């Protein structure tokens, strides 16, 4: 081998040539008698302990150099002809570093339950200075044979490498995904989420090709006693962007302790109506017609403001086997989730994370695949003005538009620059690669329509972390070539976070009361004042006082003409983003919210 020609000149760098050059570098080091790869080393944990925090309860924690995922610094390149000069510089710098660096850590894992149609072999190469990244990722996935050909490869080099800007922007390029060549390259950031989400982005593409839709959603099951006395198994998926409360709901179970709160507040004991509660998956799932598949055997979840009353997540996060990231310590040296002492860019940290084992939650049956087909959907779509706390969506086209819109409110875990802003993120996900969001949406639309008459899927929209009836101001917003008036919330900063003024939002117990009573068939509904029978809103929830329910009705805060004006502006803005983000959706879906 001619060593001086290991890395081609920049004009010869291609997507395919990147992996070929990587292999040449590895072979050259081996020929020279050097160790090029640490193949699934058994001492990763011991290596990582050198710079980790050993909490008094036995668990360990690390800090990343960036405290949220680098979504704005991530690009997707699908074809060789799309590879620009900046992408070539990026790939060149990574290859140069790999050549100069010591042996890379190589780890292999299966995403998706082994033996099922969604099993995907991911191979992750990590810079040897960051063994904690490799170790923590392995705790989330299933073991895979080191000598088996992988479906996907991820290269993790968490250094600044003179990174170029993303073409046409002032953003530094940090992560590049190549969906049709089955690999991702990560630089700059040692945040655990970069690796986890990169692998799962490829898995979403992988499961689409297996006939599923890949969704940024959690999966849980429980059996509920219906109002007619029969028992029904609920297979529930919960969608929501980071920071919206998805994990809070997916890990929520009713137990002897929190049932006392329900008895005191609502006069209802959930344990009289619920049994066999199981957590299946926390983050990314694959939905097929006959079942739902989880992606990971563990969970990497946000633990901000976690308290003991969130019993399952608390059990997992406080286990001595938990692996923490940017997580504080209390006065006794144990993990603390209060967000009081760590800070990021001068404001309190709002994105503590933990890798937990699902079996440590106390509500895991060992299987991340559902026991039956999906029958209950929850979209957590926080907003500020016209949404009800809870809505039941009857029209499948309307339901798919809610999913396609992905309307949410920015959280520090998404980006420090987006906090408090209204955002439209298709499918509550930023990880769709290889195929368009609209293709997943079209498939999900068919699933919903097929089930309309036989065992229909119930679809609900929660406001949760948003606000009903918040105070607002009208502002001009340029949407393409058009300028429109849109409402924006009046925000006040509190402890580094922008907080909306006025209005109301439900507590976690009120959300869970609605889940209980709606799945039992105990909620009374009325037509939405604008959308009619396509969208139903609760008129009575057993256990919730009517005065409190009225606080979750936006028409309690606005006149009907004001309500219509606000809603019309919101629908107009949502359609702009929908045409931009999902340009080939059927008009039936795009126009489903018109009135």
């Amino acid at each position: 081998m001619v060593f001086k020609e290991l890395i081609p000149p920049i004009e010869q760098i291609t997507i395919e040539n990147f992996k070929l050059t990587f292999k040449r570098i590895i072979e050259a080091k081996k020929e020279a008698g050097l160790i090029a790869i640490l193949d699934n080393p058994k001492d990763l944990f011991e290596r990582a302990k050198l710079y980790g925090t050993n909490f008094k309860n036995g668990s360990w924690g690390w800090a990343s150099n960036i405290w949220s995922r680098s979504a704005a610094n991530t690009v997707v390149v699908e074809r060789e002809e799309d590879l620009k000069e900046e992408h070539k510089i990026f790939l060149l710098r990574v290859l140069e570093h790999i050549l100069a660096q010591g042996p890379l850590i190589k780890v292999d894992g299966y995403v998706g339950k082994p033996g099922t149609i969604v099993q995907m072999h991911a191979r992750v190469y990590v810079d040897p200075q960051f063994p904690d990244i490799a170790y923590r990722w392995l705790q989330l996935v299933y073991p895979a044979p080191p000598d088996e050909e992988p479906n996907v490869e991820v290269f993790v080099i968490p250094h600044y490498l003179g990174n170029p800007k993303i073409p046409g922007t002032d953003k530094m390029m940090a992560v590049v995904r190549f969906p049709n060549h089955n690999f991702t390259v990560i630089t700059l950031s040692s945040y655990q989420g970069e690796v986890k989400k990169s692998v799962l982005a490829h898995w979403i593409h992988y499961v689409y090709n297996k006939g599923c839709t890949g969704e940024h959603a959690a999966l849980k099951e429980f059996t509920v006693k219906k109002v007619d006395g029969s028992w029904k198994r609920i297979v529930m998926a919960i969608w929501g962007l980071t920071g919206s409360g998805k994990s809070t709901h997916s890990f929520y179970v009713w137990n002897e302790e929190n049932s006392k709160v329900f008895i005191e507040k609502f006069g209802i004991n959930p344990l009289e109506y619920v049994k066999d509660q199981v957590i299946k998956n926390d983050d990314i799932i694959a939905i097929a017609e006959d079942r739902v598949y989880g992606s990971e055997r563990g969970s990497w979840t946000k633990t901000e403001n976690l308290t003991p009353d969130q019993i399952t997540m608390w059990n997992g996060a406080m286990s001595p086997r938990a692996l923490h990231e940017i997580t504080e310590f209390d006065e006794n040296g144990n993990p603390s989730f209060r967000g009081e002492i760590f800070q990021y860019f001068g404001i309190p940290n709002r994105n503590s994370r933990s890798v937990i084992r699902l079996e440590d939650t106390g509500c895991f049956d060992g299987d991340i695949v559902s026991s039956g087909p999906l029958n209950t959907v929850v979209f957590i779509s926080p907003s500020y003005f016209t949404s009800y706390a809870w809505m039941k969506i009857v029209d499948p086209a309307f339901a798919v538009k809610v999913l396609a819109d992905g309307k949410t409110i920015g959280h520090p875990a998404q980006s420090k620059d987006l906090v408090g802003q209204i955002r439209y993120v298709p499918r509550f996900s930023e990880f769709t690669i290889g195929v368009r969001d609209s293709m997943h949406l079209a498939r999900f639309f068919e699933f919903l329509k097929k089930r309309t008459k036989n065992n229909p899927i119930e679809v609900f929209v929660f406001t949760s972390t948003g606000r009903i009836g918040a105070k607002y101001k009208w502002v001009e917003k340029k949407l393409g070539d058009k300028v429109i008036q849109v409402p924006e919330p009046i925000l006040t900063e509190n402890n580094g976070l922008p907080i909306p003024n006025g209005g109301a939002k439900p507590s976690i117990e009120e959300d869970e009361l609605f889940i209980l009573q709606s799945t039992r068939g105990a909620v009374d509904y009325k037509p939405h004042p604008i959308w009619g029978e396509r969208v139903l809103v609760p008129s009575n929830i057993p256990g919730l006082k009517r005065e409190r329910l009225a606080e979750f009705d936006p028409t309690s805060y606005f006149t009907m003409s004001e309500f219509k004006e606000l809603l019309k502006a919101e629908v107009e803005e949502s359609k702009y983003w929908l045409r931009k983000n999902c340009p080939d959706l059927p008009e039936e879906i795009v126009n489903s919210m018109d009135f």
Side-chain angles (χ1 to χ4, degrees), residues 477-492:
K477 184 175 284 190
K478 191 172 189 297
L479 301 177
D481 298 328
K482 190 176 181 181
V483 177
I484 69 169
Q485 294 280 330
V486 297
E488 282 195 354
I490 297 172
L491 304 174
T492 302

Side-chain angles (χ1 to χ4, degrees), residues 356-572:
I356 66 176
R357 303 192 183 200
L358 291 181
E359 53 263 42
D360 286 345
T361 66
C363 285
F364 181 55
D365 62 2
D367 194 352
I368 63 171
V369 180
S370 71
S371 61
L374 179 70
N375 57 27
T376 308
V377 161
V378 173
F379 297 134
I380 300 178
S381 186
S383 59
Y384 285 124
F385 314 117
T386 61
S387 290
Y388 288 74
W390 312 286
M391 297 185 293
K392 182 176 182 179
I393 311 302
V394 178
D395 175 20
F398 195 111
V400 174
K401 183 174 186 299
V402 173
L403 179 57
D405 282 343
K407 187 176 183 181
T408 192
I409 294 172
H411 183 276
Q414 300 166 25
S415 165
K416 66 182 179 66
D417 301 320
L418 298 172
V419 180
Q421 297 181 27
I422 296 173
R423 304 181 62 207
Y424 291 88
V425 183
R427 299 170 56 234
F428 305 103
S429 169
E430 296 172 301
F431 316 115
T432 306
I433 60 174
V435 299
R436 300 181 301 278
D437 282 296
S438 55
M439 297 174 72
H440 287 272
L441 290 162
R443 182 170 287 172
F444 188 66
F445 189 31
E446 293 305 314
F447 288 170
L448 289 179
K449 288 193 295 184
K450 188 174 291 188
R451 294 272 295 281
T452 300
K453 293 182 180 179
N454 182 26
N455 190 22
I457 300 173
E458 291 197 306
V459 180
F460 301 97
V461 179
F462 282 27
T463 300
S464 288
T465 52
R467 194 68 65 99
I468 298 103
K471 293 182 179 179
Y472 66 93
K473 58 185 178 182
W474 288 99
V475 300
E476 282 191 350
K477 184 175 284 190
K478 191 172 189 297
L479 301 177
D481 298 328
K482 190 176 181 181
V483 177
I484 69 169
Q485 294 280 330
V486 297
E488 282 195 354
I490 297 172
L491 304 174
T492 302
E493 189 169 302
N494 182 8
N495 198 22
L497 288 178
I499 305 297
N501 296 303
K505 68 175 184 177
S507 66
I508 179 64
E509 291 83 11
E510 288 166 331
D511 275 337
E512 293 298 324
L513 175 70
F514 178 80
I515 288 175
L516 173 68
Q517 299 293 36
S518 61
T519 54
R520 292 187 62 235
V523 175
D524 295 324
Y525 293 96
K526 61 184 179 181
H528 188 279
I530 303 299
W531 288 313
E533 298 287 348
R534 289 181 295 159
V535 179
L536 304 178
V537 296
S539 58
N540 179 56
I541 302 172
L544 191 66
K545 294 180 180 178
R546 290 188 180 273
E547 302 81 40
R548 181 61 172 161
L549 184 58
E551 294 180 26
F552 301 143
D553 184 335
T555 63
S556 298
Y557 302 90
F558 310 122
T559 65
M560 188 53 65
S561 60
E562 186 181 15
F563 178 70
K564 286 182 179 179
E565 187 179 18
L566 287 165
L567 190 58
K568 184 177 180 181
E570 290 177 323
V571 170
E572 185 174 4

Side-chain angles (χ1 to χ4, degrees), residues 209-449:
N209 292 326
K210 299 292 184 178
C212 306
T213 70
E215 304 293 340
H216 186 204
L219 176 64
K220 67 188 295 185
E221 293 189 18
F222 56 91
T223 301
V224 67
K225 188 176 185 180
K226 303 277 288 180
V227 291
D228 63 5
S230 63
W231 290 87
K232 179 181 179 180
R233 190 64 174 168
I234 301 297
V235 178
M236 175 182 286
I238 306 168
W239 279 254
L241 205 61
T242 298
S244 64
K246 172 170 61 67
S247 294
T248 301
H249 285 296
S250 67
F251 277 101
Y252 197 96
V253 299
W254 292 285
N255 58 27
E256 293 288 350
E257 195 59 35
N258 64 25
S259 289
K260 296 174 185 176
V261 179
F262 284 78
I263 294 169
E264 179 183 343
K265 286 188 174 182
F266 313 121
I268 288 173
N269 183 354
L271 296 183
E272 294 179 1
Y273 305 104
V274 173
K275 61 183 180 181
D276 300 330
Q277 302 173 80
V278 180
I279 297 166
K280 290 286 186 179
N281 219 96
D282 172 48
D283 198 22
I284 303 288
I285 59 175
I287 300 175
E289 286 193 50
D290 61 338
R291 71 192 63 209
V292 186
Y293 298 92
S295 56
E296 297 171 313
R297 67 185 178 110
S299 171
W300 183 74
T301 188
K302 187 170 63 64
T303 46
E304 171 198 354
N305 295 326
L306 180 62
T307 55
D309 56 310
Q310 297 170 268
I311 184 67
T312 55
M313 197 188 301
W314 181 267
N315 286 345
M318 290 304 291
S319 165
R321 301 195 297 182
L323 303 170
H324 305 285
E325 184 167 359
I326 49 178
T327 297
E328 298 175 358
F329 50 89
D330 65 15
E331 56 278 4
N332 298 313
N334 289 316
S336 171
F337 312 111
R338 296 194 293 260
E340 294 175 337
I341 60 174
F342 284 6
Q343 64 177 54
Y344 188 55
F345 284 88
I347 61 174
N349 171 42
R350 291 289 180 267
N351 194 24
S352 57
R353 294 273 180 172
S354 299
V355 171
I356 66 176
R357 303 192 183 200
L358 291 181
E359 53 263 42
D360 286 345
T361 66
C363 285
F364 181 55
D365 62 2
D367 194 352
I368 63 171
V369 180
S370 71
S371 61
L374 179 70
N375 57 27
T376 308
V377 161
V378 173
F379 297 134
I380 300 178
S381 186
S383 59
Y384 285 124
F385 314 117
T386 61
S387 290
Y388 288 74
W390 312 286
M391 297 185 293
K392 182 176 182 179
I393 311 302
V394 178
D395 175 20
F398 195 111
V400 174
K401 183 174 186 299
V402 173
L403 179 57
D405 282 343
K407 187 176 183 181
T408 192
I409 294 172
H411 183 276
Q414 300 166 25
S415 165
K416 66 182 179 66
D417 301 320
L418 298 172
V419 180
Q421 297 181 27
I422 296 173
R423 304 181 62 207
Y424 291 88
V425 183
R427 299 170 56 234
F428 305 103
S429 169
E430 296 172 301
F431 316 115
T432 306
I433 60 174
V435 299
R436 300 181 301 278
D437 282 296
S438 55
M439 297 174 72
H440 287 272
L441 290 162
R443 182 170 287 172
F444 188 66
F445 189 31
E446 293 305 314
F447 288 170
L448 289 179
K449 288 193 295 184

Side-chain angles (χ1 to χ4, degrees), residues 143-157:
D147 56 349
E148 181 182 80
E149 189 67 23
N151 302 108
V152 165
E153 293 173 293
V154 176
F155 300 84
V156 188
I157 310 295

